[in-house]
Amino acid sequence: MGAYVGGEDDQGRLQVWFESDDGVRREVERCSAGHGGLSWGYEGTGPGNTARTILADITQDRALAQAWHQEFSSDIVARLTVDQPFRLER
């Protein structure tokens, strides 16, 4: 099944990766609403971008990710610890 993990990349930017069960990690393509980077742990644009990014990767459907990102952000992404590493099982 794997998991989505978030943390800082080599340049100190917040990033999301997908980590397979065998430990192989790939960067998840960002799917944002024009401005702002990724973040989590509160309500706002950054957490919305993170939610949209994860949903677009899971579904491979940007329109579906756009339609559902606010609910996913409020229910899951906003409840993570602010900008600290996280792991969400797929």
Side-chain angles (χ1 to χ4, degrees), residues 22-85:
D22 60 2
V24 176
R25 189 180 271 195
R26 68 168 168 81
E27 187 173 329
V28 175
E29 180 182 349
R30 291 180 187 220
C31 179
S32 62
H35 66 282
L38 303 178
S39 59
W40 45 86
Y42 61 94
E43 297 281 342
T45 302
N49 288 338
T50 300
R52 192 181 290 106
T53 294
I54 292 170
L55 288 174
D57 190 74
I58 288 172
T59 65
Q60 296 297 299
D61 185 334
R62 287 179 174 252
L64 185 63
Q66 178 62 32
W68 288 97
H69 81 279
Q70 289 179 321
E71 288 83 356
F72 183 61
S73 182
S74 293
D75 292 347
I76 305 296
V77 179
R79 295 176 187 222
L80 300 168
T81 303
V82 177
D83 297 339
Q84 294 299 307

